[in-house]
Amino acid sequence: MRVLSLINQKGGCGKTTVAVNLAAALGRREQRVLLVDLDPQGHATLALSCDGESCASLRDVLTARTSIRSAIRRTPFGIDLLPAAESLAEFEEASARMLKPETVLHDALQDVADEYDWALLDCPARADGVLSANALRASSIAILVVETGAFALQGALRARRIFERTARAQGSRFDIRVLGTLFDRRTKCGRELLLAMHSRFGPDMFDTVVRESVKLREAAARGMPVQFLAPRSGSSDDFAALAVELAATRLRDGHDLVARTVSREGTPAPL
Ligand SMILES: Nc1ncnc2c1ncn2[C@@H]1O[C@H](COP(=O)(O)OP(=O)(O)OP(=O)(O)O)[C@@H](O)[C@H]1O
Ligand SMILES: [Mg+2]
């Protein structure tokens, strides 16, 4: 299981949108995907038409009230969800009494590591809290989701410094990759910013950029991934391209993110 977190310290930059639709894009390629909602707002939970309040949720897993397996829910969209409820915010306080509270999610995910190809972690905007620390501790890649608008580059550089500091403090070894989103190619500012991001982040930046699209807003409002609302849309294409690019990603330590599995016929299994 490869664990990825979608992260930025900025609110509203598209983390949840990327988490939900990238998860669905991987699911449509026969990948086994677990989406973990780490935000007490529960937006990823709502975006999959689930309700985190009425049954076991991530808070219960992090506080050892229930096992991860019994809190995971199957969705009609080809992916599984570990939902969030508002009470997840209480974990911040509870964690003050725990030894190494930032390792709880990592340890819980080990129990289902054989059951999924991917775990995608949708992080809250607060980058220095214990929930984001849990996400980073569990991840092999942190995807810094950057809205291609004004001041985005400065914000992204600041966020990367924070995550690098967290990695050092935790002794964790995750790679940081940058993904541009909410891109509008009609604006000069958007095009220039994307170029600036590529020159600043170089190979750490995904070639795929998620374009701004009303379909993504509509899909979230209807509680489904965009692939189910508009399978032939540009947004579905963007997330399909991102899934393929992700699978070809090579980690800084020289390992491929996806170990090339070989099918029974002897050819590498496609993503
Ligand atoms: N590429 C896009 N095109 C159009 N709208 C988008 C796009 N990405 C995100 N949005 C919209 O922008 C808003 C914020 O997106 P989202 O909830 O994904 O951000 P977030 O970073 O998860 O926010 P938060 O920090 O509150 O968790 C939502 O209304 C979403 O539908
Ligand atoms: Mg969000």
Side-chain angles (χ1 to χ4, degrees):
M1 182 171 75
R2 279 81 60 174
V3 184
L4 268 63
S5 46
L6 288 309
I7 196 151
N8 195 334
Q9 54 173 1
K10 187 174 182 302
C13 60
K15 300 177 290 293
T16 301
T17 303
V18 172
V20 168
N21 294 291
L22 175 59
L26 289 164
R28 283 177 92 89
R29 282 160 183 75
E30 311 294 318
Q31 301 288 294
R32 300 166 304 164
V33 185
L34 173 64
L35 178 62
V36 181
D37 191 347
L38 273 139
D39 188 344
Q41 295 182 103
H43 287 172
T45 302
L46 293 172
L48 294 172
S49 294
C50 289
D51 165 26
E53 307 297 334
S54 56
C55 45
S57 66
L58 177 62
R59 193 274 308 245
D60 303 310
V61 177
L62 295 180
T63 52
R65 285 184 172 89
T66 188
S67 72
I68 187 165
R69 241 186 227 98
S70 51
I72 289 175
R73 243 107 36 90
R74 194 128 288 170
T75 74
F77 309 114
I79 56 181
D80 286 357
L81 171 73
L82 180 45
E86 240 181 284
S87 57
L88 182 56
E90 294 163 16
F91 180 63
E92 201 80 39
E93 203 184 309
S95 69
R97 299 183 290 276
M98 293 166 78
L99 209 59
K100 294 203 172 188
E102 74 283 1
T103 61
V104 191
L105 179 63
H106 171 268
D107 295 347
L109 285 172
Q110 300 313 305
D111 289 348
V112 291
D114 292 337
E115 289 157 44
Y116 295 98
D117 300 304
W118 303 87
L120 267 53
L121 317 182
D122 181 30
C123 294
R126 189 169 165 206
D128 59 353
V130 70
L131 292 168
S132 292
N134 264 277
L136 292 174
R137 176 68 184 76
S139 297
S140 43
I141 294 192
I143 300 182
L144 180 55
V145 180
V146 182
E147 176 183 351
T148 50
F151 315 121
L153 189 57
Q154 294 87 331
L157 289 166
R158 206 176 315 119
R160 187 167 72 166
R161 279 196 299 275
I162 291 177
F163 301 140
E164 283 168 348
R165 214 179 308 135
T166 307
R168 275 197 302 276
Q170 289 184 349
S172 319
R173 298 185 33 172
F174 55 85
D175 284 9
I176 300 176
R177 296 292 151 94
V178 182
L179 172 69
T181 186
L182 278 150
F183 177 60
D184 184 353
R185 86 171 67 239
R186 291 166 306 183
T187 68
K188 190 164 173 247
C189 155
R191 292 195 304 272
E192 284 177 357
L193 193 88
L194 196 61
L195 280 174
M197 281 167 67
H198 272 287
S199 72
R200 195 69 183 77
F201 294 112
D204 290 344
M205 179 117 188
F206 285 102
D207 290 335
T208 307
V209 58
V210 178
R211 290 168 286 178
E212 179 162 15
S213 160
V214 69
K215 290 277 178 237
L216 286 168
R217 288 183 198 276
E218 211 180 316
R222 294 219 198 164
M224 63 178 73
V226 73
Q227 296 87 346
F228 288 78
L229 178 78
R232 292 181 203 286
S233 61
S235 299
S236 294
D237 293 346
D238 289 348
F239 285 102
L242 182 59
V244 170
E245 194 181 348
L246 191 61
T249 295
R250 180 157 272 240
L251 296 177
R252 213 165 279 163
D253 63 8
H255 287 95
D256 288 333
L257 179 61
V258 178
R260 282 170 68 80
T261 48
V262 175
S263 72
R264 267 184 238 122
E265 289 75 34
T267 49
L271 176 66

